[in-house]
């Protein structure tokens, strides 16, 4: 856990954002306290606190004094919209580079995406039928 | 509420007779942080900690703990606890009597917590430490350090002889304790990969000198591996500090140290070179293997 090249607090914040986008944490859910987080993952408490502060500053989490931290209303939609904007440049372009490097044509890719083994049949239905598809 | 003592070390020199154990060591520790003091055997870790605890005089330079010279300073020394591998535990009196003795050493001592920890580490209160295993004696040292509540608590190789479950019980207790009672902790250890994520900052000693003193996250970001075709890796790392290389057939993996900027990352991507993370343990091994005299 948290063995990547980014600072640990960045990796923690990313993990929480992923949990929210995937719906493992929903709007209004209480998240672990920084103390619980530090103890669960055996990481420095100040590092954990830094990650949570960043998410509070971004409006992804909000703090209720004396009670704890919660996922902000609309956090999931906002994070998802951000992720979608970044998806093509950060995820798809490298894949397309790789495909080109391997000599796969656009037709090969289209065939895969629409074919019997493609994502239309095995992919995440939720993502495909998403009502806000195309908004960004 | 105390947040722990700060530690300032300036141009510290310590000699044993004609042998120099520490040369011109300089670093700062903020109050309330957990710090790793890392170094190979004989690098001066114990000497530095002993000097901070004023068990050993400095031959030159200065040490400040909570802003004051700790030497013969009662106020400061009542707030400093050094758990040494050799131990300040009396080997012949029972565990319980040892703990009673320590209760008088620190005004911040928490007897209930010490009692709780003795159970966590499954220590026999009626046994004299010399009848305990090495790991159990280390665990007793851990109990003393944790229960001392000292605003500056130092653990010198406290993990020695502990088995893995005991070490993890110690890390868990340490974290829980510093969260409840913020204080400054210095931990020296060889098992860096186990403890590196606990640290705010790291001081690496090499042959008595401070090789670097750095925020842990920043230090971690300084290391990277570049893996790809040999010539491409060489070209990309020509201007970087390469700590080590490994060959895997036609593939070369170079471990580098230094800031990796966006341009280098882009070039690596274009040349089909994978950039990987380097743990503190690996960085430590590579950095302290280099000649630095």
């Amino acid at each position: 856990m948290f063995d990547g090249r980014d600072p640990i607090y960045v990796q923690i914040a990313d993990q929480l954002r992923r949990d929210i986008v995937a719906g493992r944490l929903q709007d209004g859910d209480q998240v672990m306290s920084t103390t619980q987080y530090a103890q669960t993952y055996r990481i420095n408490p100040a590092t954990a606190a830094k990650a949570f502060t960043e998410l509070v500053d971004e409006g992804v989490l909000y703090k209720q004094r004396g009670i704890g931290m919660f996922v902000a209303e609309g956090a999931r939609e906002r994070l998802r919209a951000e992720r979608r904007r970044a998806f093509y440049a950060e995820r798809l372009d490298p894949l397309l580079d790789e495909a080109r490097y391997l000599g796969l044509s656009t037709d090969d890719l289209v065939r895969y995406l629409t074919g019997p083994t493609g994502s239309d049949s095995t992919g995440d239905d939720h993502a495909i039928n998403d009502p806000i598809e195309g908004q960004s | 509420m105390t947040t722990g003592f700060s530690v300032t070390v300036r141009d510290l020199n310590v000699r044993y007779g004609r042998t120099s154990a520490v040369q011109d060591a300089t670093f700062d520790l903020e109050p309330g942080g957990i710090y790793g003091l890392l170094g190979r055997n004989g690098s001066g870790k114990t000497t530095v900690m002993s000097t901070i605890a004023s068990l050993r005089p400095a031959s030159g330079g200065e040490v400040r703990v909570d802003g004051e010279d700790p030497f013969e300073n009662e106020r400061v020394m009542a707030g400093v606890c050094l758990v040494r591998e050799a131990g300040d535990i009396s080997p012949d009196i029972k565990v319980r009597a040892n703990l009673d003795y320590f209760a008088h050493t620190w005004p911040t001592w928490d007897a209930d917590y010490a009692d709780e920890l003795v159970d966590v580490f499954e220590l026999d209160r009626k046994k004299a430490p010399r009848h305990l295993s090495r790991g159990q004696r280390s665990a007793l040292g851990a109990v003393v350090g944790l229960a001392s509540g000292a605003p500056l608590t130092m653990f010198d190789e406290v993990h020695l002889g502990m088995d893995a479950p005991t070490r993890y019980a110690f890390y868990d207790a340490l974290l829980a304790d510093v969260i409840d009672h913020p204080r400054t902790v210095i931990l020296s250890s060889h098992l860096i990969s186990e403890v590196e994520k606990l640290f705010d900052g790291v001081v690496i000693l090499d042959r008595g000198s401070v090789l670097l003193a750095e925020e842990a996250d920043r230090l971690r970001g300084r290391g990277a591996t570049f893996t790809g075709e040999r010539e491409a890796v060489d070209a990309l790392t020509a201007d970087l500090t390469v700590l080590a290389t490994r060959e895997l057939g036609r593939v070369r993996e170079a471990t580098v140290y230094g800031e990796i900027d966006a341009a280098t990352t882009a070039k690596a991507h274009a040349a089909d070179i994978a950039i990987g993370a380097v743990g503190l343990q690996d960085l430590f091994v590579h950095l302290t293997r280099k000649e630095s005299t």
Side-chain angles (χ1 to χ4, degrees):
Chain A
M1 201 72 180
F2 308 128
D3 291 324
R5 275 207 70 238
D6 289 328
I8 290 175
Y9 81 91
V10 172
Q11 297 181 55
I12 295 169
D14 281 346
Q15 177 65 49
L16 285 161
R17 287 191 200 97
R18 259 199 301 277
D19 286 346
I20 292 168
V21 170
R24 288 188 287 271
L25 283 170
Q26 311 232 332
D27 289 4
D29 277 0
Q30 183 164 14
V31 298
M32 267 198 250
S33 69
T34 54
T35 301
Q36 288 169 326
Y37 211 89
Q39 285 181 299
T40 305
Y41 295 107
R42 291 198 181 91
I43 51 170
N44 184 282
T47 304
K50 204 167 166 186
F52 284 81
T53 302
E54 184 173 277
L55 293 173
V56 169
D57 289 348
E58 284 174 14
V60 171
L61 301 180
Y62 69 95
K63 216 182 274 186
Q64 234 178 324
R65 201 170 285 277
I67 304 177
M69 264 180 279
F70 298 84
V71 178
E73 283 307 315
R76 184 179 183 206
E77 281 317 320
R78 257 184 301 127
L79 285 173
R80 192 136 67 152
E82 270 171 39
R83 284 287 182 111
R84 284 184 175 172
R85 275 194 291 276
F87 173 76
Y88 294 97
E90 287 179 11
R91 303 284 170 164
L92 198 53
D93 286 352
L95 274 181
L96 293 178
D97 282 349
E98 178 77 7
R100 210 165 297 136
Y101 169 77
L102 294 172
L104 290 166
S105 69
T106 307
D107 281 347
D108 292 330
L109 298 177
V110 169
R111 212 172 300 129
Y112 178 77
L113 286 172
T114 56
T117 57
S119 66
D120 277 3
S121 56
T122 58
D124 178 358
D125 284 346
H126 183 76
I128 285 153
N129 300 325
D130 200 290
I132 70 153
E133 181 89 334
Q135 254 183 23
S136 62
Chain B
M1 194 177 78
T2 65
T3 54
F5 284 173
S6 63
V7 177
T8 307
V9 173
R10 286 283 171 277
D11 306 315
L12 177 68
N13 282 273
V14 183
R15 301 178 166 283
Y16 299 127
R18 303 174 72 177
T19 314
S20 172
V22 175
Q23 306 100 33
D24 301 321
T26 292
F27 60 87
D28 291 292
L29 309 182
E30 303 278 332
I34 304 175
Y35 293 92
L37 183 61
L38 313 176
R40 301 176 61 176
N41 289 331
S43 61
K45 302 188 295 289
T46 301
T47 305
V48 166
M49 285 201 254
S50 302
T51 312
I52 292 171
S54 82
L55 298 173
R56 198 164 281 295
S59 319
E62 63 175 34
V63 170
R64 290 284 179 273
V65 175
D66 201 32
E68 294 176 23
D69 184 351
F71 198 72
E72 294 188 341
N73 182 328
E74 258 182 62
R75 182 191 73 84
V76 169
M77 289 321 294
V80 176
C81 173
L82 168 60
V83 176
R84 286 182 292 182
E85 186 206 329
D88 301 287
I89 289 155
S90 311
D92 297 318
I93 64 168
K94 288 175 185 167
V95 166
R96 187 187 296 153
N98 258 291
L99 294 176
D100 287 343
Y101 167 77
F102 288 118
H104 299 287
T105 310
W106 295 282
T108 43
W109 180 264
D110 184 338
D112 293 337
Y113 183 45
D115 221 40
E116 209 178 288
L117 288 168
V118 165
D119 290 334
V120 168
F121 292 115
E122 299 174 327
L123 298 171
D124 186 343
R125 290 177 176 75
K126 290 184 217 126
K127 268 193 183 167
R130 96 186 135 82
H131 296 304
L132 297 175
S133 70
R134 172 116 197 236
Q136 286 175 319
R137 277 201 301 277
S138 292
L140 182 56
V143 171
V144 172
L146 290 168
S148 76
L152 173 60
T153 305
M154 298 182 273
F155 296 97
D156 188 9
E157 305 278 352
V158 74
H159 62 275
L160 288 174
M162 287 185 185
D163 57 15
T166 307
R167 292 199 303 274
Y168 283 103
F170 168 63
Y171 306 144
D172 289 346
L174 177 68
L175 264 182
D177 190 49
V178 297
I179 287 167
D180 289 342
H181 309 282
R183 51 189 166 135
T184 311
V185 172
I186 306 177
L187 205 63
S188 82
S189 179
H190 288 125
L191 304 174
I192 300 167
S193 53
E194 275 187 14
V195 289
E196 61 164 280
K197 287 172 192 145
L198 302 179
F199 297 146
D200 288 276
V202 167
V203 176
I204 297 183
L205 291 175
D206 191 32
R207 279 163 279 186
S209 299
V210 174
L211 194 61
L212 57 91
E214 184 79 272
E215 232 174 81
D217 247 359
R218 193 169 295 167
L219 177 57
R220 220 175 272 116
R222 291 251 169 88
T225 57
F226 289 83
T227 312
E229 203 210 336
R230 197 179 308 157
E231 289 76 18
V233 168
D234 283 350
L236 190 66
T237 58
D239 297 327
L240 301 171
T241 307
V242 177
L243 298 175
T245 56
R246 274 203 305 180
E247 309 299 324
L248 311 121
R250 295 182 45 76
V251 169
R252 171 165 289 181
E253 180 194 84
T255 302
V256 303
Y257 178 71
E259 305 290 343
I260 312 294
D261 56 21
T264 306
T265 307
K267 271 190 231 161
H269 180 68
D272 204 26
I273 292 170
I275 303 184
V278 185
L280 279 191
Q281 172 97 31
D282 284 339
L283 263 187
F284 168 77
V285 168
H286 292 313
L287 287 170
T288 55
R289 192 169 52 200
K290 281 249 167 187
E291 291 304 310
S292 62
T293 39

